[in-house]
Amino acid sequence: MTHADTTGHEAGVESTHQVDHAKHNLPILTLGAIGVVYGDIGTSPIYAFRQAMQVRPGAAASNIEVLGLLSLIVWALTLTVTVKYVFFVTRADNNGEGGTLSLMALARKTFTNPPIWITALGVLGAALFYGDAIITPAISVLSAVEGIELVQPGMTRWVVPITLVIILGIFAVQRFGTAKVSIVFGPVTAVWFLTLGIAGVTNIVQNPEVLWALNPLLGLQFLVTHIGIAFVVVGAIFLAVTGAEALYVDLGHFGRKPIVLAWFGLVFPCLLLNYFGQGAYVIGHGVDNVASPFFEMVPEWGLLPFVALATLATIIASQAVITGTYSLTQQAIALNMLPRMVVHHTSATQSGQIYMPQINTMLMIGVLVLVAAFRSSEALSNAYGIAVSGVMIVTLSLLVVVMWRNWKWNPIVVVTFGIVYVCIDGGFFASNVSKLFQGGWVPAAVALVVAMLMWSWMAGRRRLAEKTRRDEVPLQFLVDNLAKKKPTTVPGTAVFLTSDIEGAPTALLHSLKHYKVLHEQNVILTVRTSTSPRVPDDEKVTIDAYNELFFRVVVTFGYMESPNIPKALALARKLGWKFDIMSTSFFLSRRSLKIGNKSGMLRFWQDRAFVRLARNASDATEYFHIPTGRVVEIGTQVVL
């Protein structure tokens, strides 16, 4: 059984429904966006400014240099998050949905035959996200737990073990779903941001001259006067904007308006206040006397609860990226970029709340290994950045295509926008690449492996489809011949699943060959994935009759939907088909793949990767929610 051919990708809720929902629940959605969307970027103050100061001893030895670093952080947040993502990227929604794969689908829609480089960008963006996904929980939780060193210096040796236990707990509870836990995400994160802002204000009041950092010239001056370490500094500054991609990825969950309101109403002001507060503390106490300004600027009486709150905030940030990885994988499967995997729905009402045990296990192992290997957030910060900055470049590239071909913007405006942000995003990426051998190779290696697996899967599926098509009998030819010489028929309905709309299903041919009978009704079923996130029920099923024996049924799911064939076929009753699951048998082809003698090293490894992925793919019966008692599997052997 091959999964359905697809041309597009994800979106979340029907746009009309989403607008109505947003109007009536704007405060709730805004609070939810604070918890889920901004959990990652909200933990950046723990380590971003500290790393910017420590990129080289003496780099920020004077107040003017501290102001320069602060200016770079302020304007990185403003230009990258506020201008690029809030004002532009979040407008590029695919029927309400966001994310790299949604943007890829949106860009592909504008081409009759989409160029391969657009798909390649989608693959690269998705692969880089996986690289980011194993680092975010590691650096976030580790940086928060390190705060106990200030509370009790003797606890230093317990930082890594405590972090490992927390991370094990985070991944262990995933199977129970995030519905109940996420209820507290918004309020806890809102308290976190307010605490960040208050802590910042109390220090700004003592050293208000720190507000001079609003002048962008101070940031430029720092880079010019420290040209030798400019790349390293920019790489540290980039830590302040990691998590910006979440604004776009979670667009379908909350809608654009709540995300924008949360950013300007709470998140952005509190982040700025906290960074200024850290700068003010450093200026007031001297650069050489401050090791961790984020925690040190908090009064001693409030340090323990502050560390506890920071740990909660990092757990929420980790939860958000884990959930995002599940969603991304589900989208990639729907787009035939990855093999089928087991998907558990953890909510009866929210289709987007899913748990994927295979992904959960792989992520958990990766995060635990990173914490055990790097052992400090400072060391991990060198590994953090390549994947995120790479995703930003992919997003920019696809956004420019959408601006040009979807929005029909003036080419001069598009080119100008592209050049400005190529310089900014390119600078961030180049600075992070400079840390490749200091740990940056970790997310790069993860992304490379995932990209190669995705490309091998897509190439293997394409070759398998071509080979199968050559061996298949045209469906119309078979139907015409069976109409002339009708075989024995038996009661009931037979549904033959196939991805090839023109060829006769292999299961049908083998059924005729071995059983020499037909059912009273024979349905040739093709499952397709739409370029939209969800497909309305009245557009989900189409039926065409070849004759009284054969029907062609095409079921179309959105790339964010879980493909449930029995439920979809039940919709066909409105079209006049009396579908009864208890009198229906589903015939699936189970292909046994063998590797042929092909030359070329790339083809050699690609075929082996495809066969291994295919063998480990989850069962089609479970993936399509077909009752196991109604399935007949017919095996065939295919040599690639």
Side-chain angles (χ1 to χ4, degrees), residues 596-627:
N597 296 320
K598 294 290 187 295
S599 60
M601 185 60 70
L602 178 61
R603 178 69 181 271
F604 176 85
W605 289 109
Q606 210 171 52
D607 283 350
R608 276 156 180 76
F610 175 68
V611 171
R612 180 63 62 89
L613 289 170
R615 287 174 181 169
N616 286 288
S618 67
D619 187 66
T621 302
E622 181 180 2
Y623 183 76
F624 289 111
H625 298 83
I626 304 171

Side-chain angles (χ1 to χ4, degrees), residues 549-610:
L549 279 176
F550 284 93
F551 297 86
R552 155 69 65 195
V553 175
V554 178
V555 178
T556 306
F557 295 103
Y559 60 81
M560 285 294 286
E561 294 182 283
S562 177
N564 189 313
I565 286 179
K567 279 188 178 180
L569 293 183
L571 298 171
R573 294 191 182 105
K574 297 178 182 178
L575 302 177
W577 178 23
K578 306 302 181 186
F579 173 72
D580 179 12
I581 189 71
M582 298 313 296
S583 64
T584 301
S585 297
F586 292 85
F587 288 80
L588 310 183
S589 299
R590 179 175 288 277
R591 291 189 174 95
S592 176
L593 302 176
K594 301 293 181 183
I595 299 173
N597 296 320
K598 294 290 187 295
S599 60
M601 185 60 70
L602 178 61
R603 178 69 181 271
F604 176 85
W605 289 109
Q606 210 171 52
D607 283 350
R608 276 156 180 76
F610 175 68

Side-chain angles (χ1 to χ4, degrees), residues 52-359:
M53 287 179 53
Q54 295 178 354
V55 289
R56 192 197 71 174
S62 68
N63 290 354
I64 194 68
E65 289 174 316
V66 171
L67 293 176
L69 288 173
L70 272 177
S71 179
L72 289 172
I73 289 177
V74 169
W75 287 100
L77 281 169
T78 302
L79 293 175
T80 299
V81 185
T82 304
V83 178
K84 180 185 173 185
Y85 278 90
V86 174
F87 285 150
F88 292 101
V89 177
T90 54
R91 295 179 186 275
D93 67 294
N94 186 2
N95 291 345
E97 281 298 323
T100 303
L101 294 181
S102 278
L103 193 57
M104 179 197 74
L106 198 60
R108 283 168 57 98
K109 282 182 182 180
T110 63
F111 295 91
T112 306
N113 294 305
I116 194 170
W117 60 267
I118 288 184
T119 303
L121 282 173
V123 169
L124 180 60
L128 287 166
F129 185 87
Y130 285 101
D132 173 39
I134 67 167
I135 294 186
T136 295
I139 191 172
S140 296
V141 178
L142 190 53
S143 63
V145 176
E146 284 171 346
I148 66 172
E149 294 175 332
L150 297 174
V151 179
Q152 182 55 259
M155 293 285 287
T156 299
R157 62 194 178 95
W158 291 101
V159 168
V160 171
I162 291 172
T163 301
L164 293 174
V165 170
I166 291 174
I167 288 170
L168 278 170
I170 291 172
F171 284 98
V173 300
Q174 295 302 312
R175 69 187 66 201
F176 302 112
T178 59
K180 293 180 180 178
V181 181
S182 63
I183 292 173
V184 301
F185 278 13
V188 170
T189 311
V191 171
W192 168 248
F193 279 115
L194 288 171
T195 305
L196 292 184
I198 292 169
V201 168
T202 56
N203 285 275
I204 293 171
V205 169
Q206 297 175 30
N207 292 283
E209 66 268 26
V210 75
L211 295 176
W212 281 108
L214 287 169
N215 182 356
L217 295 179
L218 290 176
L220 294 175
Q221 177 185 324
F222 182 95
L223 292 178
V224 171
T225 55
H226 295 77
I227 195 71
I229 59 167
F231 261 11
V232 185
V233 170
V234 171
I237 297 299
F238 181 73
L239 295 172
V241 299
T242 55
E245 195 71 20
L247 276 83
Y248 189 42
V249 172
D250 292 311
L251 192 61
H253 294 285
F254 301 100
R256 185 173 183 271
K257 191 171 183 180
I259 288 175
V260 173
L261 281 176
W263 176 251
F264 286 109
L266 180 68
V267 178
F268 190 36
C270 289
L271 286 176
L272 291 182
L273 288 173
N274 190 265
Y275 282 120
F276 279 127
Q278 290 186 53
Y281 183 84
V282 171
I283 289 173
H285 291 75
V287 175
D288 296 332
N289 301 319
V290 180
S292 180
F294 180 78
F295 288 111
E296 289 179 33
M297 71 176 181
V298 177
E300 189 174 342
W301 58 264
L303 190 55
L304 186 58
F306 190 62
V307 170
L309 182 60
T311 304
L312 275 177
T314 57
I315 289 172
I316 291 172
S318 302
Q319 179 63 59
V321 79
I322 292 167
T323 304
T325 307
Y326 297 156
S327 298
L328 179 74
T329 305
Q330 184 186 36
Q331 297 166 28
I333 292 169
L335 293 170
N336 288 327
M337 297 167 77
L338 284 173
R340 293 185 302 269
M341 296 183 201
V342 176
V343 179
H344 296 307
H345 289 264
T346 59
S347 171
T349 56
Q350 298 294 324
S351 61
Q353 290 190 9
I354 59 175
Y355 165 67
M356 303 185 73
Q358 293 160 293
I359 296 298

